[in-house]
Amino acid sequence: MTDFDPVELKRIRWHSRRGLLELDLVLERFLAQRFDSLSPAEMSAYKALLELPDNDFLDVVNAKMDLDDPEVMQIVEILRAI
Amino acid sequence: MGVPVRRFDAVIVGGGGAGLRAALQLSESGLKTAVLSKVFPTRSHTVAAQGGISASLGNVQEDRWEWHMFDTVKGSDWLGDQDAIEFMCRKAPEAVIELEHFGMPFDRLENGKIYQRPFGGHTQHNGQTPVQRACAAADRTGHAMLHTLYQRNVRANTQFFVEWMALDLIRDADGDVVGVTALEMETGEVFILHAKAVLFATGGAGRIYAASTNAFINTGDGLGMCVRAGIPLEDMEFWQFHPTGVAGAGVLITEGVRGEGGILLNSNGERFMERYAPNLKDLAPRDFVSRSMELEVLEGRGCGPNKDHVLLKLDHLGPDIIKQRLPGIREIAIKFAGVDPIKEPIPVIPTCHYMMGGIPTNYRGEVVTPKDGNHESRVNGFFAAGECACASVHGANRLGTNSLLDLVVFGKSAGDSMVEYIKNEMPTWKDLPADAADRSLARIARLDNQKNGEEVTDVRTAMQRTVQSRAGVFRNSANLALGVTEIKEVAERAKVMQIKDKSKVFNTARVEALEMENLIEIAVATMISAEARQESRGAHAHDDFPTRNDEVWMKHTLYYGENRSLTYKPVHTKPLSVDYIPPKERTF
């Protein structure tokens, strides 16, 4: 995770606070179980996911919708399974 | 102390529907307006509102605002202020059409008009027949509203302070509000935002309950700031619940599950609803099912290691019915309860959804408190709107789809009042008191210096368990009295909360501790207000006082944090233009 300084990581954690409880719960688990071991590429992919509007994000997590980027979809698969 | 000061005509705390609607009024009148938000505005909890927004447009069936008003008054169990309710229901059609003109993508009829769907409690002819009154943008009404209002604010040059947390209200020697202190998360610096007028639109505080549908951001920051600044909180005993949230998570399981034949079981495997409601059983009304569930838990027949929930059994329906008729339920159960309902029952518990009480306001969005014999004296420079405010339109129980309506109608009304106040009464800024930032700086210093204290998560868990078990859907005198004692003990623990991370920049542990300081004030207010109200009305169902008592209790509670005392003020029985709707028994 050399590409991300500690402040940036804290910021990404805060951006995991969402307007929907379902996302808060899924992302809380993700932060506790997987966040610290993400590679820089995976962290960038997660960061990209956080840019989604909440309702789209939840649809993606609930497998109602897929995204084009295969690297982002790898993170999505983790979120779907967590 | 050298705390930096920034100056605006108006400061709005909260970037959800109410805050954004108010900001628009201010920015569009050319006033320099700042909106503070802990998260990016379009990630506010308003996005979670799916049901719709009610307005008597009459696009599908004949409808009148007077009928909407009747439904709202009845829903409130006659605790709502009828002037504010009339104001909201009359303004509703205009508010919805305005949103449409702003570009909000409402569902439409073939003739191009806004489609309206049916919703519980919406009727024609004062309770006679159901009416289609709810306007929606698919199942994303709140999301669509928020994005529409945000774009509009960007166009109007509203200044956004994203990832800023307001800490305390600044009042001068006259008691007037002259600004807020706020923490910029990015730097960890505290600022003073000096303003001619301040609006709180900080949303609800459902996180005081262990079981809540509210997102993690809903920590009632505005209410905590009010308590610390000597402003009372109104009707805090009234919280709306849904019977079947996933235990330990809060995610809702739709009532359709019981409609399809799902049944509730206690730890003995007994279908206990047969005992409470021999005819309707698991399909009894929402509040009745909730109370029966909680009674089972209180009497020791709860399930799980903490015996704190009951079970919703579906497996007897068979996998085909579960998959075909209840789409999404299996996924929710697997994801949030860790069980596959085809094989195992889902742990469920009555779950807090909405806060009816809040910061006392009138229908103009002005914050009002008792002073010199006047029940509702204006606090100069201070306004509130949305779930954090108590206008009071929801009274003891909110009617579905009135929450989004509340945001836009009272957001706009408060915005208009602020424009008027700033232009007519505030040619310039009042001076800041010398100690403007002292309280906030002391709070942060205490957190930084606390040793051998309590962990924030432990105190939060203790608070949530107490409020859930003592001020949930089943209430009685003994339990409420215990709750008051217990929550005061938790409040003592909250005074010595500590954080390990003392860094300044993006210290989210500090933010969570500061949020917890707000939540505990609201939890104490809720317990004390609930313990005192000796009747059953709307969402406050008291087992020792099972009926509504209008003679004694048709009045609003006001809780003061300073000495944890209560006073009361009358319900407004005079609508603006129509006749008073006198109380009746609330039957459906």
Side-chain angles (χ1 to χ4, degrees):
Chain A
M1 284 188 292
T2 48
D3 293 0
F4 291 91
D5 69 67
V7 172
E8 179 65 6
L9 293 176
K10 280 181 165 183
R11 191 197 317 273
I12 298 172
R13 277 182 176 273
W14 184 253
H15 289 181
S16 307
R17 279 246 211 151
R18 312 299 293 198
L20 297 173
L21 174 70
E22 290 85 345
L23 286 174
D24 279 342
L25 294 167
V26 171
L27 301 184
E28 186 184 42
R29 287 182 204 167
F30 178 79
L31 292 179
Q33 296 169 26
R34 304 297 294 267
F35 186 77
D36 289 337
S37 57
L38 294 182
S39 71
E42 288 171 325
M43 191 63 81
S44 295
Y46 180 59
K47 220 178 135 183
L49 261 181
L50 293 178
E51 294 301 313
L52 287 176
D54 280 327
N55 287 279
D56 290 340
F57 195 178
L58 186 61
D59 279 353
V60 169
V61 169
N62 284 341
K64 288 184 188 161
M65 192 168 112
D66 286 335
L67 298 169
D68 293 335
D69 186 329
E71 287 191 356
V72 174
M73 279 307 292
Q74 278 184 11
I75 301 292
V76 169
E77 290 306 333
I78 297 173
L79 294 175
R80 285 177 182 173
I82 211 161
Chain B
M1 270 301 286
V3 174
V5 179
R6 301 187 71 159
R7 214 174 232 200
F8 299 91
D9 290 314
V11 166
I12 289 173
V13 182
L20 293 183
R21 186 65 196 83
L24 199 51
Q25 288 311 97
L26 289 148
S27 292
E28 286 187 344
S29 16
L31 295 170
K32 194 178 169 196
T33 305
V35 173
L36 269 65
S37 184
K38 291 193 289 188
V39 297
F40 196 78
T42 54
R43 286 179 210 145
S44 303
H45 191 54
T46 305
V47 293
Q50 296 185 341
I53 174 167
S54 49
S56 58
L57 296 168
N59 287 353
V60 179
Q61 291 157 321
E62 189 196 356
D63 200 4
R64 302 172 56 168
W65 66 260
E66 290 92 338
W67 298 339
H68 184 186
M69 176 174 173
F70 176 86
D71 293 340
T72 304
V73 170
K74 181 181 173 185
S76 82
D77 216 354
W78 279 271
L79 193 71
D81 287 331
Q82 295 199 10
D83 53 348
I85 294 175
E86 176 181 336
F87 182 82
M88 181 178 78
C89 297
R90 279 180 81 161
K91 292 274 183 192
E94 178 188 315
V96 166
I97 288 166
E98 185 181 64
L99 285 169
E100 185 191 31
H101 291 169
F102 286 171
M104 185 164 156
F106 283 108
D107 296 346
R108 287 179 190 284
L109 293 160
E110 281 200 1
N111 65 11
K113 288 186 173 176
I114 294 172
Y115 170 70
Q116 299 188 273
R117 58 166 76 140
F119 212 93
H122 295 183
T123 72
Q124 287 173 320
H125 305 287
N126 299 347
Q128 297 298 309
T129 42
V131 69
Q132 293 182 228
R133 186 181 290 148
C135 311
D139 60 353
R140 293 185 172 200
T141 313
H143 169 93
M145 178 191 283
L146 209 48
H147 280 258
T148 304
L149 291 174
Y150 178 69
Q151 293 303 335
R152 197 89 188 171
N153 268 287
V154 170
R155 205 181 75 167
N157 287 324
T158 300
Q159 268 183 267
F160 286 96
F161 289 74
V162 177
E163 288 157 5
W164 282 57
M165 181 187 183
L167 298 176
D168 283 292
L169 197 60
I170 305 173
R171 300 181 78 183
D172 68 7
D174 302 326
D176 297 353
V177 169
V178 294
V180 292
T181 54
L183 175 76
E184 184 187 26
M185 293 172 61
E186 173 88 53
T187 59
E189 296 292 335
V190 173
F191 285 78
I192 288 173
L193 302 182
H194 190 189
K196 294 175 181 172
V198 171
L199 172 94
F200 278 5
T202 54
R207 300 304 305 176
I208 65 167
Y209 283 89
S212 168
T213 65
N214 285 194
F216 292 177
I217 45 176
N218 292 32
T219 54
D221 299 333
L223 279 70
M225 288 188 270
C226 280
V227 169
R228 286 191 294 276
I231 307 246
L233 301 181
E234 181 172 339
D235 294 340
M236 291 306 296
E237 59 271 46
F238 298 101
W239 294 82
Q240 196 167 57
F241 277 74
H242 191 287
T244 52
V246 172
V251 180
L252 292 183
I253 302 281
T254 161
E255 260 140 351
V257 170
R258 279 171 288 133
E260 289 294 342
I263 56 171
L264 294 162
L265 302 178
N266 64 17
S267 59
N268 301 330
E270 180 202 4
R271 186 182 180 185
F272 58 85
M273 284 311 300
E274 286 181 328
R275 209 169 353 103
Y276 295 101
N279 294 322
L280 291 173
K281 300 185 178 109
D282 301 272
L283 295 175
R286 216 182 239 203
D287 56 339
F288 195 82
V289 173
S290 294
R291 283 203 294 281
S292 306
M293 289 166 69
E294 202 155 299
L295 198 52
E296 289 299 299
V297 169
L298 286 171
E299 291 183 351
R301 293 185 293 277
C303 306
N306 294 324
K307 299 178 92 52
D308 58 1
H309 59 263
V310 298
L311 298 171
L312 178 58
K313 177 176 148 69
L314 276 76
D315 59 316
H316 56 286
L317 303 178
D320 292 344
I321 292 208
I322 292 174
K323 285 179 193 163
Q324 282 163 22
R325 296 206 203 142
L326 301 167
I329 293 302
R330 188 174 174 220
E331 287 70 22
I332 288 176
I334 290 171
K335 198 158 198 76
F336 298 108
V339 298
D340 183 348
I342 287 175
K343 300 175 201 142
E344 289 170 276
I346 310 170
V348 289
I349 187 84
T351 297
C352 169
H353 186 54
Y354 188 86
M355 175 178 88
M356 267 75 73
I359 305 164
T361 69
N362 55 24
Y363 67 84
R364 292 169 47 82
E366 297 164 331
V367 176
V368 287
T369 64
K371 194 179 173 188
D372 304 330
N374 175 4
H375 291 298
E376 301 192 342
S377 169
R378 192 182 76 174
V379 178
N380 290 326
F382 193 28
F383 303 79
E387 190 170 342
C388 77
C390 185
S392 151
V393 283
H394 309 304
N397 199 23
R398 178 179 62 85
L399 189 70
T401 71
N402 267 354
S403 54
L404 286 181
L405 181 62
D406 173 352
L407 304 186
V408 285
V409 168
F410 292 108
K412 183 178 183 183
S413 176
D416 284 336
S417 302
M418 291 170 82
V419 171
E420 213 175 286
Y421 175 76
I422 292 168
K423 293 198 167 165
N424 298 337
E425 300 183 48
M426 292 295 285
T428 187
W429 288 264
K430 285 192 90 180
D431 288 340
L432 285 167
D435 61 353
D438 287 7
R439 184 194 285 123
S440 302
L441 294 174
R443 287 172 66 204
I444 287 177
R446 188 205 63 74
L447 271 175
D448 284 345
N449 298 324
Q450 182 70 50
K451 290 191 178 72
N452 305 317
E454 292 267 0
E455 295 302 321
V456 176
T457 50
D458 295 344
V459 180
R460 185 166 51 219
T461 303
M463 171 193 70
Q464 289 173 336
R465 281 205 183 134
T466 302
V467 179
Q468 186 79 28
S469 61
R470 305 300 184 196
V473 288
F474 180 85
R475 299 174 176 187
N476 64 31
S477 300
N479 209 29
L480 287 163
L482 275 173
V484 170
T485 307
E486 289 167 3
I487 204 69
K488 285 179 178 170
E489 288 165 10
V490 178
E492 289 306 306
R493 294 173 60 189
K495 287 181 184 164
V496 293
M497 283 186 300
Q498 66 183 7
I499 49 174
K500 287 193 191 83
D501 182 356
K502 317 273 187 186
S503 65
K504 284 193 82 167
V505 177
F506 246 104
N507 185 340
T508 51
R510 175 180 290 144
V511 170
E512 285 175 15
L514 293 166
E515 288 176 330
M516 183 57 213
E517 290 185 355
N518 292 326
L519 283 169
I520 190 64
E521 300 287 4
I522 300 155
V524 174
T526 296
M527 280 307 326
I528 289 178
S529 302
E531 199 261 343
R533 184 173 283 272
Q534 299 188 336
E535 66 158 351
S536 290
R537 182 185 298 270
H540 177 71
H542 197 308
D543 203 43
D544 297 319
F545 304 94
T547 54
R548 196 178 75 204
N549 180 350
D550 289 328
E551 212 168 296
V552 182
W553 286 103
M554 194 196 273
K555 57 188 179 186
H556 295 294
T557 307
L558 290 175
Y559 166 84
Y560 287 84
E562 205 178 1
N563 46 7
R564 292 180 176 159
S565 63
L566 300 176
T567 60
Y568 293 89
K569 67 172 183 177
V571 171
H572 294 196
T573 51
K574 239 184 150 88
L576 298 170
S577 71
V578 292
D579 289 338
Y580 173 56
I581 300 171
K584 281 194 241 177
E585 200 180 338
R586 200 160 144 259
T587 53
F588 295 97

